[in-house]
Amino acid sequence: AKKAGRNAWRFYNPAMNATASERLELTNGLRCALEQDQLELYYQLQVDLFSGQVIGAEALLRWHHPQWGLVSPARFIPIAEESGLIVPIGAWILQQACHQAAQWQAEGLGIPVVAVNISALQLQDSALAKTVRAALDQAGLAPSALELELTESGLIQDSEQVRATVDQLKGLGVGLAIDDFGTGYSCLAYLRRLAVDVVKIDQSFVRDLNSSADGSAIVTAIIQMARSLGLEVLAEGVEDEETAEALRQLGCCQAQGYLYARPMPASALPARLAERRAA
Ligand code: C2E
Ligand code: CA
Ligand code: CA
Ligand code: CA
């Protein structure tokens, strides 16, 4: 119990960098996580800032470790990438999320799109488009109901492989979003060639929107750029009405954040949606 306690402290402290032995422990744990059913997708609603309508839900991975408790994705996704485990785990995430979205549609829940995070490493996998296709087919889900969130850092790996994969994904008819936009200082002309649909403004900028002139200048610039390229813009990390209002004023139409809903298990969604409709 003492050891578990110490581990719990170690794994809950996000500021601490993993040592080599912790990494090994995490990697080994993660290897079993899929088989042992320790992974779960939570979902966070995405809303239209003007109508208040739900436009989608982002799938966010959770790891319930039997000793360590809930391990944060910020902590284990990098380990999953380093070890290559993100490829089989990523395939599982796609299958789960597509099944969930098909179920929402069958139930008429009113969540039209599921957004799935794709790591930089998955983008380097030449089989990614096939994996996505298989997940859609298995679930019987229309490609338009799936949006893939590609991080800016993943996209700026300027390789033929990444370009080819993004083209294949686009060809499937799924939506593409650039995640964490603004953090990679990428050249927008380059991103434009990649034919994405949505730009997700990183929450670090959204947080500064009302508190600093710089923050507001960056968000304003991103929204203007994106709109002039005909892209949708979604602001991440919206926590208060003041920020939502500022975003509306700037012409940002979509948002996600604690103001609307925290990430939650799929089983909690129906009640949350009913609550929203009643409000
Ligand atoms: P992300 O894709 O940028 O996801 C948004 C993160 O912000 C989530 O953290 C979410 O819970 C959190 N968040 C949402 N609204 C708010 C808010 O209003 N305020 C604040 N402070 N935070 C908010 P989470 O779930 O811990 O995920 C962290 C990161 O881990 C994700 O960042 C993503 O990069 C990665 N990740 C999570 N799930 C997956 C996955 O299934 N696959 C991959 N490849 N990466 C994932
Ligand atoms: Ca994301
Ligand atoms: Ca993000
Ligand atoms: Ca959309």
Side-chain angles (χ1 to χ4, degrees), residues 39-47 54 56-64 70 73 96-97 100 104 109 111 114-115 256-277:
L39 299 180
E40 182 183 7
L41 290 180
Y42 273 33
Y43 295 91
Q44 185 178 36
L45 298 177
Q46 302 178 327
V47 302
V54 172
E58 177 180 2
L60 293 160
L61 189 60
R62 298 291 180 262
W63 179 13
H64 302 278
L70 203 62
Q96 283 290 114
Q100 192 54 253
W104 291 337
L109 204 61
I111 304 179
V114 69
Q256 193 180 336
Y258 295 168
L259 175 62
Y260 306 102
R262 289 188 178 250
M264 64 189 95
S267 59
L269 277 167
R272 185 71 189 86
L273 288 166
E275 230 173 76
R276 277 182 63 86
R277 275 191 297 270

Side-chain angles (χ1 to χ4, degrees), residues 46 55 113 147 197-198 232 254:
Q46 302 178 327
I55 54 171
V113 172
E147 188 164 280
D197 310 286
V198 185
E232 296 171 34
Q254 306 178 1

Side-chain angles (χ1 to χ4, degrees), residues 65 74 95 136 150 180 213 227 236 253 266:
H65 190 278
Q95 281 166 21
L136 289 167
L150 316 174
D180 303 338
R227 291 187 52 165
E236 294 191 278
C253 301

